[in-house]
Amino acid sequence: MDNKKRRVCPVERAGGLDTRLRALVQNPYTITAPFISPGATVLDYGCGPGFFTVPMAHLVGESGRVLAADLQQGMLDMVRYKIQGTLLDGRVSFHLVQGDGAGIDGPVDFVLLFYMVHEIEDKAAFFRRIVSLLTPRGCALMVEPPFHVSRKEFRETCALAEASGLAAKTGPRMLLSKSAVLTIKQT
Ligand SMILES: C[S@@+](CC[C@H](N)C(=O)[O-])C[C@H]1O[C@@H](n2cnc3c(N)ncnc32)[C@H](O)[C@@H]1O
């Protein structure tokens, strides 16, 4: 795969996504807690080094499940290393996915799409895949970085999500981010 052409964040730069400074600015518990109930099945799609995966595994509790999915094995290895031998070990499953999302089985109650949608080539197909993965009352939180995604591009991405069967509402305010909450459009 040509990561450069597809603008996929390389494994060598993953450390920058998992810092104490980031945790101060983007607290992963505060951001995901409103969307996660104990016992839920949730998907961290494009999990990278697991900055959100670990907090999500705490939030779903003993009876919940977290699917950590990424295009790059190196990212999944970093998450696995973090939780190995901890209480969270049995709660997280790892999914090396292809660009089209094959390799993940739903349904899931919540999908986190943090700083990853701008890396997707075929966004319409991707959003259709999200529709197929969500439970009818489930939702996805899409968060994009301002330095890669302009306001106009974000609006276009939300429009694509809408055209693919999702309803997009403005998401929670977050520093260094644009966000939207996606739910399955009711017909
Ligand atoms: C900028 S990183 C963000 C990681 C993490 N969500 C975070 O906020 O710390 C984007 C991640 O999305 C993954 N990614 C890109 N396209 C993907 C796809 N089609 N399917 C799954 N993962 C993908 C990349 O490999 C990378 O780990």
Side-chain angles (χ1 to χ4, degrees):
M1 180 203 323
D2 183 353
N3 280 0
K4 221 172 188 177
K5 190 168 145 225
R6 291 186 58 183
R7 298 189 300 160
V8 172
C9 173
V11 174
E12 306 79 65
R13 287 182 41 201
L17 291 164
D18 202 2
T19 64
R20 283 192 193 165
L21 178 63
R22 186 180 185 197
L24 287 176
V25 180
Q26 295 179 337
N27 184 310
Y29 288 92
T30 313
I31 290 170
T32 56
F35 302 95
I36 299 180
S37 309
T41 299
V42 302
L43 167 62
D44 188 4
Y45 206 155
C47 60
F51 178 75
F52 289 94
T53 317
V54 172
M56 287 165 82
H58 281 289
L59 289 165
V60 295
E62 262 180 58
S63 56
R65 210 157 66 90
V66 181
L67 286 70
D70 206 284
L71 206 56
Q72 302 179 82
Q73 184 62 49
M75 295 293 194
L76 297 177
D77 290 344
M78 291 176 86
V79 187
R80 199 189 297 272
Y81 180 75
K82 268 188 191 172
I83 64 164
Q84 220 161 31
T86 74
L87 276 179
L88 306 178
D89 219 347
R91 289 184 209 173
V92 181
S93 57
F94 298 91
H95 306 265
L96 182 62
V97 292
Q98 306 297 314
D100 62 2
I104 308 172
D105 287 325
V108 297
D109 302 300
F110 172 64
V111 183
L112 181 67
L113 305 168
F114 210 104
Y115 284 8
M116 68 85 72
V117 173
H118 63 281
E119 296 187 2
I120 302 283
E121 220 169 350
D122 185 349
K123 293 186 180 55
F126 176 76
F127 287 127
R128 286 196 295 274
R129 180 79 182 121
I130 297 298
V131 172
S132 75
L133 286 169
L134 279 175
T135 57
R137 285 169 173 268
C139 73
L141 174 63
M142 172 172 70
V143 184
E144 290 284 78
F147 29 93
H148 288 307
V149 181
S150 68
R151 224 175 263 195
K152 179 172 173 277
E153 281 168 336
F154 190 68
R155 272 200 307 272
E156 286 167 359
T157 301
C158 288
L160 259 181
E162 294 259 1
S164 310
L166 292 161
K169 284 197 183 140
T170 305
R173 286 177 73 118
M174 250 174 267
L175 206 60
L176 301 177
S177 303
K178 300 174 176 69
S179 84
V181 175
L182 311 173
T183 51
I184 295 180
K185 219 180 240 177
Q186 303 302 321
T187 47

